[in-house]
Amino acid sequence: MHWSEILAQQVIERNPHKEEYVCATGISPSGSIHIGNFRDIATSYFVVLALRKLGRKARLIHSWDNFDRLRKIPANVAAVASDMERYIGCALADVPNPFAGENDAPTYAAHFEREFADSLEKFGIAPDYRYQVDLYRAGKYTKEILLALSERGRIFDILDSFRTQDAIEGERDSYYPVAIYCSECGHDTTKIQDYDETTHIAHYQCKCGHQSEFDFNADFNCKLSWKIDWAMRWGYEGVDFEPGGQDHASPSGSYQTSRIIAKEIFGVDAPIFQGYSFIGLKGATGKMSGSSGLNLTPKTLLKIYEPEVILWLYSRTDPSHSFDFCFDEGILRQYTEFDRMYNAVANDTATDVEQAIMFNCAVNHRVINTVPMSWLVQFGSVVNFSPSVLETVFTKIGTPYKTSEFAWRLELAQNWLEMCSPESVNHLNKHRNWAAYEVLSEDEQREIAVLHENLLNNEYTLDELNAMIYAVPMQVFGAIDDPKRKKTLQAAFFKNVYRLLIGKEQGPRLYLFLYALERGAYMHLLDFDAPKTEEEIAAEHPSVVEVIAEIESESADDNAVTVQPIKPPIQIDDFAKLDLRVCEIIKCQEIRKSHNCYKLTLNDGSSERVIVSSIKHDYTPEQLTGKKIIVLVNLAPARITGVTSEGMLLATSNDHGKNTVIFVDEIVPNGSSLH
């Protein structure tokens, strides 16, 4: 059974006769709404779908907490508006739109609300929106606010029971569960001086110096504190289910506190709650904050992911588990797995769980054409992303996809290549790669000549072409009985052909590549019988400016190393104490507030281990993930930047402090010991 169906059953069992169930979400529009917040929406949305599948009425409501205070300025806001600091402490709905020149959103909050709502439409998700600033200022919560004020002592005691520090003298008497926005400066930097329980009139003083009277019966420019506000709204909206981040789900988190407040103060039961883990990026997993500016929005994801694939990633993963969005080649594997499951459902071969997962991913009944994303990536750049040419390519290789079937994915493939993996773009070389050709052995050059001759004088079906390419080394070296040597020669031949065609050691499947393209586009790149052209000669001789730049670069040797004296001798028994093993980096993560260190999750051959290494300035996460390194695995664990490190990797360091990690060939098994 899918996790959303289990939650839906829990909702029904708790209140089996309710006419319509309410699943809620809420987000403060303090900045761009990131993909972590999107899990809030997705989780409730899937439970709504599960309830409807069970024959129950259900609706999704989404609260915009735009009456929250502005706490800090996100990086993307600071980049366009330098004077936003003065609005810290004001209600988000009262802060002017910093992007006013780009859109007509009336306020700061409205800008980010619209940004996210527009993205939700792409997923076919249409919640009933609640704008908290409107509800508060219309006096909708007056009864609940007055109740909270009258029970402020009991509320303080509940909050205090979750604190680790004792309350100071007089703290309980001066506690109020509500913040007043100053009528003079608009900030919430006010302090209630006194409150009349009978008239419900208070007097407050603001840090700006303003003093005023506030009648809670008639003045509504105030807001309950978060944990009281959350509990109050559960009762007001009749919420049956609401998810929240892991921080809310902890034993001392907001949900546990608000659950007690809801029951003891407002007389309502807290909804069924589901905590969810944070979403990561491949190579940069970690909590992302919408107010920090370090975020990734659904709008950005939709540039490389189909909305159905995004929903699929959320649907297939239990909320309590984390997962990554991939900006490396992992995205191609995700598309492949999505296509497999989608086609299994279409062909009625999917399991019940797979059907439930895919049920959540439908967007406006759109039919997905599962044209392999890997093919669009491999062939797209070679044909300059021309749909008509690509259509011809697909026809030639026996998969006659039409432009209408792959145009959308082709655009996503192009975006991914250009935004995330420009090094994966495949373009045919403009000229013959003489530099690569001239370093080949005579036999390797003969292989290229044989390939060129075979292509020039014969026509091949796709399978015949594949067989011919694999047979070229045998045409040069003769029959090869040793399977290992045969495979080695074939692999080297493939690398040489790729270098001559696209300047890389690997690329699209070679037989598909050669079959799909018009031979006239690449045959000249394999013909080295003709003399060098003027263009090729010119390309081999850099300009004077380039030579000078190279000389200047060499004169400033950034890799200089002062050789240190050899340390005193040790005995073999000393060395034997070191357990050095080959480990594979399976995940590289940023560490919050650390400027120098990465958290590396390793496969050491028997289990996973975590180490912390100060190589953040030397490598990107993408350069490390998937690489094999040497690690001292029996180093005593140490706490570094808040993370327990279980080892130390081997690296060198030059005079400028640059670290160079010692990488190991991928053929070496994980866990191999160094002797």
Side-chain angles (χ1 to χ4, degrees), residues 478-654:
I480 303 172
D481 295 328
D482 183 359
K484 187 174 181 180
R485 182 168 181 265
K486 181 178 180 180
K487 187 174 182 179
T488 300
L489 289 173
Q490 289 171 332
F493 169 61
F494 277 49
K495 285 184 178 180
N496 292 335
V497 176
Y498 283 127
R499 288 192 192 102
L500 298 177
L501 293 178
I502 61 176
K504 302 178 181 180
E505 290 192 352
Q506 57 184 1
R509 292 182 182 179
L510 190 56
Y511 76 103
L512 288 176
F513 186 66
L514 297 180
Y515 190 82
L517 297 181
E518 294 296 329
R519 293 190 188 181
Y522 61 81
M523 285 294 288
H524 65 289
L525 299 175
L526 300 173
D527 181 10
F528 289 88
D529 287 338
K532 295 180 181 180
T533 65
E534 292 183 4
E535 292 85 356
E536 290 170 339
I537 294 173
E540 291 180 346
H541 295 82
S543 67
V544 174
V545 173
E546 291 171 327
V547 171
I548 292 174
E550 184 175 352
I551 292 173
E552 289 178 343
S553 175
E554 291 177 353
S555 65
D557 188 358
D558 288 337
N559 293 315
V561 174
T562 300
V563 179
Q564 300 295 323
I566 295 177
K567 296 179 180 179
I570 63 172
Q571 301 301 314
I572 189 66
D573 290 342
D574 295 322
F575 178 77
K577 295 177 182 178
L578 303 178
D579 193 347
L580 298 168
R581 302 202 181 191
V582 173
C583 299
E584 182 180 356
I585 302 173
I586 58 178
K587 186 174 291 187
C588 174
Q589 300 172 267
E590 302 269 0
I591 299 177
R592 189 176 182 185
K593 296 185 179 180
S594 175
H595 299 292
N596 303 311
C597 296
Y598 282 137
K599 173 184 174 183
L600 303 179
T601 304
L602 311 176
N603 179 342
D604 63 11
S606 60
S607 62
E608 289 188 5
R609 70 174 53 237
V610 170
I611 67 171
V612 175
S613 184
S614 57
I615 55 175
K616 190 172 182 179
H617 297 296
D618 306 301
Y619 295 91
T620 65
E622 291 74 19
Q623 291 173 317
L624 295 170
T625 304
K627 296 293 180 64
K628 295 192 177 183
I629 59 176
I630 301 172
V631 177
L632 178 60
V633 296
N634 65 334
L635 185 67
R639 194 75 175 168
I640 303 174
T641 63
V643 177
T644 300
S645 181
E646 304 170 294
M648 179 184 295
L649 61 78
L650 268 61
T652 66
S653 179
N654 65 16

Side-chain angles (χ1 to χ4, degrees), residues 33-207:
I33 312 304
H34 56 77
I35 57 175
N37 284 135
F38 186 79
R39 195 165 202 178
D40 205 70
I41 298 281
T43 303
S44 265
Y45 174 63
F46 295 152
V47 173
V48 166
L49 294 181
L51 286 165
R52 291 172 180 171
K53 190 162 43 172
L54 292 171
R56 301 304 183 107
K57 289 183 64 177
R59 61 191 173 100
L60 175 67
I61 66 170
H62 176 73
S63 286
W64 283 119
D65 294 327
N66 52 1
F67 206 30
D68 286 355
R69 73 192 306 268
L70 178 65
R71 298 183 180 278
K72 56 184 177 179
I73 311 302
N76 63 326
V77 172
V80 299
S82 60
D83 62 343
M84 297 300 293
E85 295 283 341
R86 61 195 175 108
Y87 294 108
I88 290 179
C90 292
L92 293 168
D94 293 337
V95 178
N97 177 15
F99 304 95
E102 303 174 19
N103 57 62
D104 62 350
T107 67
Y108 181 102
H111 168 79
F112 294 113
E113 290 163 2
R114 290 185 185 181
E115 182 182 67
F116 189 65
D118 289 345
S119 295
L120 281 187
E121 290 182 6
K122 304 294 193 304
F123 296 94
I125 302 176
D128 292 337
Y129 288 110
R130 301 287 189 270
Y131 296 89
Q132 291 304 312
V133 70
D134 296 337
L135 291 167
Y136 266 102
R137 286 179 173 166
K140 299 296 184 181
Y141 301 144
T142 298
K143 181 179 71 173
E144 288 78 8
I145 291 172
L146 294 177
L147 175 60
L149 285 168
S150 67
E151 298 286 354
R152 61 192 179 96
R154 291 177 62 200
I155 292 174
F156 178 88
D157 292 338
I158 295 170
L159 296 174
D160 189 55
S161 68
F162 285 89
R163 299 199 308 181
T164 57
Q165 294 180 334
D166 294 334
I168 62 175
E169 185 177 352
E171 186 177 359
R172 187 178 189 273
D173 293 336
S174 61
Y175 169 75
Y176 291 93
V178 63
I180 297 172
Y181 284 104
C182 177
S183 60
E184 183 68 22
C185 70
H187 294 72
D188 67 345
T189 52
T190 59
K191 181 176 178 59
I192 295 177
Q193 304 295 314
D194 57 69
Y195 172 66
D196 189 314
E197 298 277 356
T198 304
T199 63
H200 305 301
I201 294 176
H203 294 88
Y204 71 86
Q205 181 170 346
C206 180
K207 283 187 177 181

